[in-house]
Amino acid sequence: MTHSLRIPDLTIPARPDPAAGWPAGVGPGDAGDPAVTDVDVIRVAGDARLAGTVHVVGAKNSALKLMAAALLAPGRTVITNVPRITDIAIMGEVLRRLGCEVRFDADDPVDPMVAHGGTARSRSVVIDVPERPGTEADYDLVRRLRASICVLGPLLARRGYVRVAHPGGDAIGSRGLDMHIAGLARMGADISGEHGFVIAAAPEGLHGAEIVLDFPSVGATENLVMAAVLARGVTVIDNAAREPEIVDICTMLNQMGARISGAGSSMLRIVGVSGLRPVRHATVGDRIVAGTWAFGAAMTRGDVTVTGIDPAFLEVALDKLVSAGALVETRGDAFRVRADDRPAAVDVVTLPYPGFATDLLPMAIGLAAVSDGASLITENIFDGRFMFANEMMRLGADIKTDGHHAVVRGRERLSGAPVRATDIRAGAGLIIAGLCADGVTEVSHVHHVDRGYPDFAADLRALGVEVERGTAPQAPDLTI
Ligand code: EPU
């Protein structure tokens, strides 16, 4: 049986109009050359100021796991406020291949940006889970979406056997699975690896266990919780991750009939139950997308109100912006960041939640690059996160990295240049940095950005940026 991947319509405009006035050298190339393939690019004009209101929809890193959690209950689960991004489309395909019927519907309630003439940034996903879902996730999908590994726990719990391709590392680091594996083994699973697959078997079912994580891994916590909800007896996970996305998943699981306590703390206690029922659940807002706009406002001396997110999820990040000189107001599910002056340099250390999020590191480097003074930026989560710094340096940023530290000496303006997105957050960070540059910045390979930000270019436009989305020729492959 063959499967086709249905990527949601991301409303990418046709090739840009050469008459649009972009300087020579940054426009699209000749599409007639067969050796040259095109890549998606976003071009922004520098000297921009972000101003206005932007609505943030559900968090990618929650919705992906909520979709996996649906596997735990046969029947129809509906998840609303799901971002309209590529990663969600791939997760939909992962579930289809496991025998689920997956449908993306118009969201309810509809994303308020639609009222401002935009396309909906969110969808509802309707997942019909069979009595006996499949047990295998292939490499061709897992390599495109390493979060597919989160089907390991739920499928092992439901079926007693699962075979998931090992996702390997990626552009931000080596990304181990040892804590997922050790925790499941504690719960009675027999785990092996062969031909690039992780194979887990628990023919008699899983049992409760006491698990202490070496590090509060988000993915390991999620996989272990999703396995433990159907295990016999009580599981305690110590040093668990505390992210709002973990709380969101535990909330949905408890609505489904699970018995989880301690969500949001470092100690989770899960009393196993014999079965779960499908529910309807709304995804928590995306704190990383919200944080991207917050940093953008401070960097461009702008004034941005972000709705759809509990500002408490960004407490440390917003506090950094206050230290940098921005004015931050919070109310209910919204916050406003305003900056009138050049930001003052601040040091940033990434840590598991509630610390400063590693996914905002590219934005912190961007802020430092235009701040008054020198900043010390320390990355503690991923060993490859600074790889994108070379692209930031192409924009004129003064960055010196040493291991997991970077010293960034701020300058008044950056200098627009063609740069390449290497991952989701680096791509967004480079586009935002381009707003503080002289001239035009063209960020290529923005399919990475599409993985995490629903229609980033449209949101930039709504906030007053001169932006276009198009294609540019990729350098031909010269390997022999
Ligand atoms: N780690 C291990 N062994 C394990 C698990 C993790 O060594 O068994 C290491 C990883 O290699 C990494 C660190 O621990 O160095 C943190 O990994 P974690 O498991 O916490 O992260 P994740 O679940 O793989 C999620 C998000 C990331 C986000 C991190 C940290 C999803 C799909 N991804 O990854 O988001 O950066 O938590 O908050 O939820 C993104 O959205 O762009 C993104 C990369």
Side-chain angles (χ1 to χ4, degrees), residues 231-255:
R232 283 187 313 279
V234 177
T235 300
V236 175
I237 307 175
D238 196 355
N239 201 22
R242 301 167 57 190
E243 273 71 1
E245 295 78 25
I246 303 272
V247 176
D248 199 24
I249 292 152
C250 291
T251 303
M252 174 164 137
L253 290 169
N254 281 343
Q255 285 163 356

Side-chain angles (χ1 to χ4, degrees), residues 60-61 65 147 172 175-180 215 217-219 243 358-359 381-382 385 424-425:
K60 165 180 84 76
N61 290 346
K65 323 306 170 56
I172 59 173
R175 314 196 73 172
L177 288 181
D178 51 304
M179 285 182 265
H180 301 239
F215 176 88
S217 154
V218 171
E243 273 71 1
T358 175
D359 290 338
I381 313 296
F382 290 112
R385 195 112 233 190
I424 306 174
R425 313 300 171 188

Side-chain angles (χ1 to χ4, degrees), residues 305-347:
T305 297
V306 182
T307 62
I309 172 86
D310 181 348
F313 297 162
L314 281 166
E315 197 174 359
V316 174
L318 292 178
D319 191 62
K320 279 289 158 200
L321 296 182
V322 171
S323 300
L327 296 168
V328 177
E329 288 167 33
T330 62
R331 63 180 149 80
D333 266 8
F335 66 85
R336 177 180 177 193
V337 176
R338 204 181 88 208
D340 298 327
D341 302 311
R342 184 176 172 199
V346 289
D347 294 342

Side-chain angles (χ1 to χ4, degrees), residues 63-436:
L64 288 170
K65 323 306 170 56
L66 297 172
M67 290 172 75
L71 288 166
L72 286 161
R76 176 169 295 186
T77 289
V78 180
I79 306 166
T80 62
N81 201 26
V82 172
R84 198 175 178 194
I85 51 175
T86 323
D87 275 14
I88 292 290
I90 300 173
M91 192 62 178
E93 188 58 19
V94 170
L95 295 183
R96 282 190 194 106
R97 291 200 199 176
L98 291 168
C100 301
E101 277 177 36
V102 181
R103 199 178 74 229
F104 292 96
D105 281 351
D107 208 3
D108 174 25
V110 174
D111 159 20
M113 292 306 272
V114 176
H116 300 282
T119 48
R121 313 282 198 275
S122 61
R123 283 274 186 263
S124 290
V125 54
V126 182
I127 306 167
D128 282 297
V129 179
E131 282 297 332
R132 284 171 62 79
T135 54
E136 180 153 331
D138 287 342
Y139 185 51
D140 66 322
L141 286 178
V142 176
R143 77 185 162 82
R144 295 186 65 185
L145 177 68
R146 60 162 294 115
S148 318
I149 196 70
C150 67
V151 301
L152 189 64
L155 287 179
L156 185 60
R158 281 283 315 277
R159 295 297 315 277
Y161 176 82
V162 57
R163 197 166 173 270
V164 181
H166 194 301
D170 64 11
I172 59 173
S174 41
R175 314 196 73 172
L177 288 181
D178 51 304
M179 285 182 265
H180 301 239
I181 289 168
L184 293 174
R186 265 298 162 87
M187 295 167 70
D190 185 6
I191 312 215
S192 55
E194 68 184 33
H195 306 302
F197 280 83
V198 178
I199 301 163
E204 307 302 321
L206 296 166
H207 56 72
E210 298 215 350
I211 299 165
V212 184
L213 296 179
D214 295 348
F215 176 88
S217 154
V218 171
T221 302
E222 289 161 346
N223 249 329
L224 297 176
V225 167
M226 289 192 278
V229 287
L230 291 181
R232 283 187 313 279
V234 177
T235 300
V236 175
I237 307 175
D238 196 355
N239 201 22
R242 301 167 57 190
E243 273 71 1
E245 295 78 25
I246 303 272
V247 176
D248 199 24
I249 292 152
C250 291
T251 303
M252 174 164 137
L253 290 169
N254 281 343
Q255 285 163 356
M256 293 167 77
R259 293 177 58 197
I260 307 167
S261 53
S265 79
S266 301
M267 179 85 78
L268 293 172
R269 186 170 186 275
I270 303 130
V271 181
V273 297
S274 57
L276 297 174
R277 56 182 176 275
V279 289
R280 180 184 175 91
H281 178 85
T283 314
V284 71
D286 197 317
R287 67 197 159 95
I288 306 300
V289 174
T292 304
W293 297 124
F295 273 74
M299 287 166 66
T300 61
R301 300 174 213 184
D303 184 356
V304 176
T305 297
V306 182
T307 62
I309 172 86
D310 181 348
F313 297 162
L314 281 166
E315 197 174 359
V316 174
L318 292 178
D319 191 62
K320 279 289 158 200
L321 296 182
V322 171
S323 300
L327 296 168
V328 177
E329 288 167 33
T330 62
R331 63 180 149 80
D333 266 8
F335 66 85
R336 177 180 177 193
V337 176
R338 204 181 88 208
D340 298 327
D341 302 311
R342 184 176 172 199
V346 289
D347 294 342
V348 169
V349 178
T350 68
L351 283 171
Y353 189 84
F356 190 96
T358 175
D359 290 338
L360 288 175
L361 179 108
M363 297 66 184
I365 295 215
L367 178 81
V370 294
S371 289
D372 189 5
S375 308
L376 177 62
I377 313 283
T378 304
E379 165 63 25
N380 286 315
I381 313 296
F382 290 112
D383 50 24
R385 195 112 233 190
F386 284 135
M387 262 160 52
F388 91 103
N390 289 324
E391 297 300 304
M392 203 63 114
M393 287 187 235
R394 284 184 47 74
L395 296 179
D398 180 350
I399 306 171
K400 279 200 175 55
T401 59
D402 185 3
H404 62 129
H405 299 290
V407 173
V408 185
R409 292 185 176 80
R411 41 188 300 185
E412 183 76 39
R413 305 288 320 146
L414 297 174
S415 174
V419 289
R420 177 186 176 135
T422 47
D423 71 271
I424 306 174
R425 313 300 171 188
L430 288 165
I431 295 170
I432 296 289
L435 306 180
C436 306

